[in-house]
């Protein structure tokens, strides 16, 4: 596990990155970024029994929301009481079109946790 890992999960049969993220309040981006040495960009190489880090101490966004069909970045940011800039900073994988990512788990915290994009 990466240095400073604050919490972790063991992959079970049927798990996907979005499923793990939703169940443990971690953004899909954070899960992939923290485990970039073991999860590929499509997140299609999860191995049953593999232990994944959910967050690094001090950089662990636990305020999340699953993106529903038809939602825009503006809608999500407004409902969460944050700016779109903060939403996109914490979820740099989105670009500016959130509607393409239905099912993705987003960090909707007021604090910016992503230090390097």
């Amino acid at each position: 596990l990466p240095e400073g890992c604050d919490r972790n999960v063991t992959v079970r049969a049927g798990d996907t990155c979005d499923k793990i993220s939703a169940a443990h309040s971690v953004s899909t981006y954070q899960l992939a970024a923290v485990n970039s040495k073991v999860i590929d960009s499509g997140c299609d190489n999860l191995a049953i029994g593999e232990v994944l880090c959910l967050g690094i101490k001090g950089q662990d966004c636990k305020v999340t929301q699953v993106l529903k069909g038809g939602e825009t970045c503006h809608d999500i940011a407004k409902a969460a009481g944050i700016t779109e800039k903060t939403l996109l900073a914490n979820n740099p994988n989105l670009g500016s079109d959130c509607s393409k990512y239905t099912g993705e788990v987003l960090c909707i915290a007021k604090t910016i946790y992503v230090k390097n994009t």
Side-chain angles (χ1 to χ4, degrees):
L1 294 176
E3 188 175 329
C5 184
D6 204 27
R7 53 192 179 123
N8 61 64
V9 65
T10 301
V11 177
R12 295 191 294 216
D15 276 349
T16 64
C17 283
D18 286 343
K19 186 175 178 181
I20 291 168
S21 294
H24 298 280
S25 294
V26 59
S27 74
T28 306
Y29 172 81
Q30 180 175 298
L31 180 68
V34 169
N35 296 285
S36 63
K37 289 182 171 37
V38 292
I39 297 176
D40 66 20
S41 62
C43 193
D44 53 12
N45 66 330
L46 296 179
I48 295 170
E50 184 171 42
V51 178
L52 300 176
C53 181
L54 297 174
I56 303 295
K57 188 172 184 145
Q59 299 175 25
D60 188 2
C61 178
K62 297 176 185 173
V63 184
T64 61
Q65 174 183 322
V66 177
L67 183 59
K68 297 177 187 82
E71 285 184 308
T72 66
C73 294
H74 176 77
D75 297 336
I76 296 159
K78 185 175 179 184
I82 61 175
T83 65
E84 272 186 72
K85 184 177 179 180
T86 299
L87 176 71
L88 296 174
N90 275 326
N91 302 280
N93 55 316
L94 295 177
S96 60
D97 186 4
C98 293
S99 64
K100 295 190 302 188
Y101 295 92
T102 300
E104 185 101 355
V105 182
L106 305 179
C107 173
I108 57 167
K110 291 175 173 51
T111 302
I112 295 176
Y113 288 94
V114 176
K115 304 301 181 203
N116 299 319
T117 58

